Amino acid sequence: MIHGLPSMKSIKSLKSLVKRKTNAQEVSKSGWKMKPFLALMCTALLIFWYKTTNIQFEQTEIEETDYPFDMAKESEAVNDKLKGLPRGIIQSRSDLELKPLWSRGSLRSKGVEMTNRNLLAIPVGLKQKGNVDALVKKFLPANFTIVLFHYDGNMDKWWDLEWSSKSIHIVAQNQTKWWFAKRFLHPDVVSIYDYIFLWDEDLGVENFNPERYLKIVKSVGLEISQPALDHNSTEIHHKITLRSKTKKFHRRVYINRGHKRCSNTSSDPPCTGFVEGMAPVFSKAAWLCTWNLIQNDLVHGWGMDMKLGYCAQGDRTKNVGIVDSEYILHQGIQTLGESVPEKKV
């Protein structure tokens, strides 16, 4: 070994030290490069969290205005199975309004007030698609919630209609509207709607305006009603439903011949207090009663119209009526059950 010169061991140690410093500097530089990216990610997450929380808060406020009932009092009367829930959290009612995933507000038309909500529910089959489209379009300007009961199972073929994605679709093969109504229009689910239109699919609405109709219904206090039938309708089973060209509405009919006589003293249907099953319109209170009147095994609803007067919320001769100025055409087209041959007994 030559004195004064560094040893091989010290040279290797020096090289190792320089290498470690270089690596540390490179790591430090890469860390500084990552910091802006991490800061951006954190900022984006904070914005997302804030917007999500804000939307949820706004939605909660909207729902609180939707249900003006005293939920606290209702919570006190719940059964024992719900007593484990915190006080004030119980909400016993719902609705059929579609909720947006992220956007604010609702899927209803912008600029339309959310008061005076109404519901149109129709059993539909694909063969009546054109007529249903025309019918629904009459109700959309009035901001109705639309529910379609698909009794033929062909729901997917309705998506091409512009309003279809904003409607509720329920499918059950070969079931009638009373079956659907009993299971899907429970009073606690439709409690935010002032009027429920439970109509058939084969109705012509060229001479009908839902807003003018409801204005008349409210002004004369009709709890259960229907639009009058045009004289050109295919099927008119009861004279009381026939349109009077000289009246805005009527509550009774006069018949002086035949086995059924109707006069001013008549108090039973179909002389008075009567609407037919193809196009009934119920107030919220009347539907609460009617839903309980519908038997669980009811299929076609024959004879149901004779009993609706029990739900008139008072005198059926005054609270049940036919609106003449807004009338419909009953086409009498039967499509439900066509594919199932009738068995002869």
Side-chain angles (χ1 to χ4, degrees), residues 5 20 30 49 74-75 126 158 163 188 196 211 237 248 257 265 269 271 294 296 306 310 330:
L5 294 176
R20 282 199 298 270
S30 64
W49 173 82
E74 290 184 325
S75 300
L126 197 58
W158 290 77
W163 48 265
D188 286 344
I196 290 92
E211 292 176 297
H237 300 116
K248 184 179 288 186
R257 59 185 177 181
T265 59
C271 295
I294 300 171
N296 200 51
M306 293 290 182
Y310 288 118
H330 186 209

Side-chain angles (χ1 to χ4, degrees), residues 37 46 87 112 119 129 132 135 181 196-197 231 248 277 280 295 318 323:
F37 175 74
L46 284 172
R87 181 179 176 83
V112 180
L119 178 74
K129 182 178 177 182
V132 172
L135 197 160
I196 290 92
F197 288 62
H231 285 253
K248 184 179 288 186
Q295 301 302 296
K318 296 179 180 179
V323 176

Side-chain angles (χ1 to χ4, degrees), residues 133-148:
D133 183 35
L135 197 160
V136 170
K137 284 179 177 177
K138 277 278 186 173
F139 286 82
L140 290 177
N143 213 39
F144 271 67
T145 296
I146 309 297
V147 180
L148 300 186

Side-chain angles (χ1 to χ4, degrees), residues 24-301:
Q25 289 174 352
E26 288 176 355
V27 170
S28 178
K29 287 179 180 179
S30 64
W32 278 104
K33 289 179 180 179
M34 289 291 291
K35 282 183 178 180
F37 175 74
L38 291 173
L40 184 63
M41 286 291 293
C42 290
T43 304
L45 288 171
L46 284 172
I47 293 173
F48 176 79
W49 173 82
Y50 171 77
K51 285 187 171 293
T52 302
T53 305
N54 194 39
I55 289 171
Q56 289 176 340
F57 176 74
E58 290 178 353
Q59 191 63 38
T60 301
E61 286 187 325
I62 292 172
E63 290 179 354
E64 285 178 353
T65 60
D66 285 348
Y67 303 97
F69 309 99
D70 191 346
M71 292 300 178
K73 291 182 180 178
E74 290 184 325
S75 300
E76 294 172 1
V78 297
N79 60 43
D80 293 337
K81 295 180 181 179
L82 301 181
K83 286 186 176 178
L85 291 174
R87 181 179 176 83
I89 201 174
I90 296 174
Q91 191 170 69
S92 60
R93 291 181 172 90
S94 184
D95 57 51
L96 292 170
E97 299 298 294
L98 297 175
K99 305 296 182 183
L101 287 177
W102 303 113
S103 61
R104 297 175 183 175
S106 72
L107 297 182
R108 281 175 164 255
S109 303
K110 292 183 179 179
V112 180
E113 291 187 9
M114 301 299 280
T115 56
N116 300 323
R117 301 180 183 183
N118 304 295
L119 178 74
L120 171 66
I122 320 171
V124 299
L126 197 58
K127 290 184 178 180
Q128 291 289 322
K129 182 178 177 182
N131 193 69
V132 172
D133 183 35
L135 197 160
V136 170
K137 284 179 177 177
K138 277 278 186 173
F139 286 82
L140 290 177
N143 213 39
F144 271 67
T145 296
I146 309 297
V147 180
L148 300 186
F149 301 134
H150 297 271
Y151 59 75
D152 62 353
N154 290 316
M155 186 194 74
D156 291 338
K157 295 182 180 179
W158 290 77
W159 294 121
D160 59 321
L161 300 178
E162 58 181 354
W163 48 265
S164 182
S165 62
K166 296 180 181 179
S167 303
I168 308 295
H169 298 263
I170 301 172
V171 183
Q173 195 78 21
N174 286 330
Q175 301 302 312
T176 67
K177 72 176 180 183
W178 299 108
W179 184 93
F180 282 107
K182 184 65 174 179
R183 285 149 185 84
F184 300 103
L185 300 184
H186 188 280
D188 286 344
V189 174
V190 298
S191 62
I192 68 168
Y193 306 107
D194 294 329
Y195 290 90
I196 290 92
F197 288 62
L198 189 57
W199 282 20
D200 288 353
E201 60 182 337
D202 61 342
L203 303 177
V205 290
E206 184 179 349
N207 299 294
F208 179 82
N209 180 287
E211 292 176 297
R212 290 198 297 263
Y213 178 88
L214 287 177
K215 187 176 180 180
I216 296 170
V217 165
K218 293 174 184 177
S219 65
V220 298
L222 298 180
E223 296 287 336
I224 301 175
S225 63
Q226 77 161 79
L229 299 183
D230 189 286
H231 285 253
N232 294 321
S233 296
T234 302
E235 294 183 3
I236 299 175
H237 300 116
H238 301 280
K239 189 178 177 181
I240 191 173
T241 62
L242 195 60
R243 179 189 175 221
S244 171
K245 296 180 180 180
T246 60
K247 297 178 181 179
K248 184 179 288 186
F249 71 96
H250 66 272
R251 295 185 174 98
R252 63 173 59 244
V253 67
Y254 299 92
I255 302 175
N256 297 321
R257 59 185 177 181
H259 68 281
K260 181 65 179 177
R261 302 295 180 95
C262 295
S263 64
N264 277 327
T265 59
S266 301
S267 58
D268 297 323
C271 295
T272 186
F274 178 86
V275 299
E276 202 166 354
M278 88 277 288
V281 178
F282 303 93
S283 69
K284 184 189 305 186
W287 179 249
L288 171 63
C289 173
T290 303
W291 185 90
N292 284 277
L293 176 66
I294 300 171
Q295 301 302 296
N296 200 51
D297 59 353
L298 184 67
V299 180
H300 297 288

